[in-house]
Amino acid sequence: DIQMTQSPSSLSASVGDRVTITCRASQSINSFLNWYQQKPGKAPKVLVYAASSLQSGVPSRFSGSGSGTDFTLTISSLQPEDFATYYCQQSYSIPYTFGQGTKLEIK
Amino acid sequence: EVQLVESGGGLVQPGGSLRLSCAASGFTVSTNYMSWVRQAPGKGLEWVSVIYSGGSTYYADSVKGRFTISRDNSKNTLDLQMNNLRAEDTAVYYCVKKYSGSYFDFWGQGTLVTVSS
């Protein structure tokens, strides 16, 4: 199985900050990496797919990069609605593993 | 508009069975990849199972031999039969549509399964 490791596990930031979350795969997954946002009590929603493609309707302050084993999700200027938990997920091979999550909190 | 609505969750004793169902609208279940993803209380996301449009099915090791994914083409629903349930199966179960071989693009609201005596 491919293990996905996110860092940090939690992060405190302020509105307007630039934030970067990292995801590392235990083996190469090319660009088969997706990012999801989850708010309390809600289902996750996809933000970025195929490492760097922004899902329709997602604000342009979100961006993804990377390939192989190392990936990042960047929020260029944090907005109040961005405080949530973020997950990476590989769609390279079954089982489709997720990272453990990064909880983004208000400083 | 794509919608996924899960049902069938509830409280069940260890060793018991439960069948989850997911009613889909706005697209055809049988021509898409469909998955179940679960989330234990306060924990992260765990992929459970997938059924491909061709009918192939795959499972996480943690549920293999106990869970069965299926679909009802006449009702446009996705099901998950869960047998020999354990306490560690307690979670919110999400029905999820998979965009081709890529990402999970639509999620249901989830249904809570609690395994406890």
Side-chain angles (χ1 to χ4, degrees):
Chain A
D1 297 2
I2 298 174
Q3 308 303 316
M4 306 301 294
T5 304
Q6 286 180 237
S7 61
S9 296
S10 63
L11 176 59
S12 293
S14 301
V15 172
D17 284 354
R18 179 183 180 90
V19 166
T20 297
I21 299 170
T22 297
C23 180
R24 175 164 288 175
S26 60
Q27 65 183 75
S28 177
I29 57 171
N30 294 334
S31 295
F32 290 91
L33 190 283
N34 312 303
W35 290 98
Y36 301 85
Q37 178 193 66
Q38 186 179 33
K39 296 183 178 179
K42 300 293 187 182
K45 76 167 196 175
V46 63
L47 299 174
V48 171
Y49 63 93
S52 60
S53 295
L54 199 65
Q55 175 72 335
S56 176
V58 174
S60 59
R61 62 181 179 272
F62 291 92
S63 64
S65 65
S67 66
T69 60
D70 295 313
F71 302 88
T72 59
L73 174 71
T74 299
I75 311 173
S76 60
S77 178
L78 272 174
Q79 298 302 300
E81 61 267 30
D82 300 337
F83 292 94
T85 301
Y86 294 84
Y87 295 93
C88 62
Q89 175 249 333
Q90 62 85 13
S91 51
Y92 180 78
S93 66
I94 288 172
Y96 299 124
T97 41
F98 290 86
Q100 80 278 15
T102 295
K103 187 172 184 179
L104 181 52
E105 298 175 308
I106 300 174
K107 183 183 286 184
Chain B
E1 179 192 7
V2 170
Q3 281 198 319
L4 297 165
V5 180
E6 303 95 336
S7 60
L11 175 64
V12 61
Q13 292 188 338
S17 297
L18 211 56
R19 188 176 185 90
L20 305 183
S21 189
C22 171
S25 58
F27 73 101
T28 302
V29 166
S30 64
T31 60
N32 283 273
Y33 295 3
M34 297 295 297
S35 261
W36 290 94
V37 173
R38 69 184 181 183
Q39 186 170 36
K43 302 298 184 183
L45 300 167
E46 180 188 17
W47 172 79
V48 172
S49 181
V50 64
I51 182 166
Y52 288 165
S53 52
S56 299
T57 58
Y58 299 91
Y59 301 90
D61 285 346
S62 58
V63 308
K64 200 173 295 182
R66 300 187 299 122
F67 289 13
T68 302
I69 191 171
S70 63
R71 62 194 181 204
D72 186 326
N73 296 345
S74 65
K75 296 180 181 178
N76 206 35
T77 58
L78 178 73
D79 294 328
L80 186 69
Q81 177 66 42
M82 305 185 294
N83 298 329
N84 191 19
L85 283 160
R86 307 167 179 165
E88 55 264 35
D89 295 319
T90 294
V92 172
Y93 285 74
Y94 293 102
C95 169
V96 191
K97 176 180 169 293
K98 195 169 187 289
Y99 180 78
S100 186
S102 185
Y103 57 98
F104 298 121
D105 59 348
F106 289 98
W107 297 64
Q109 84 287 354
T111 188
L112 176 62
V113 172
T114 303
V115 184
S116 174
S117 55

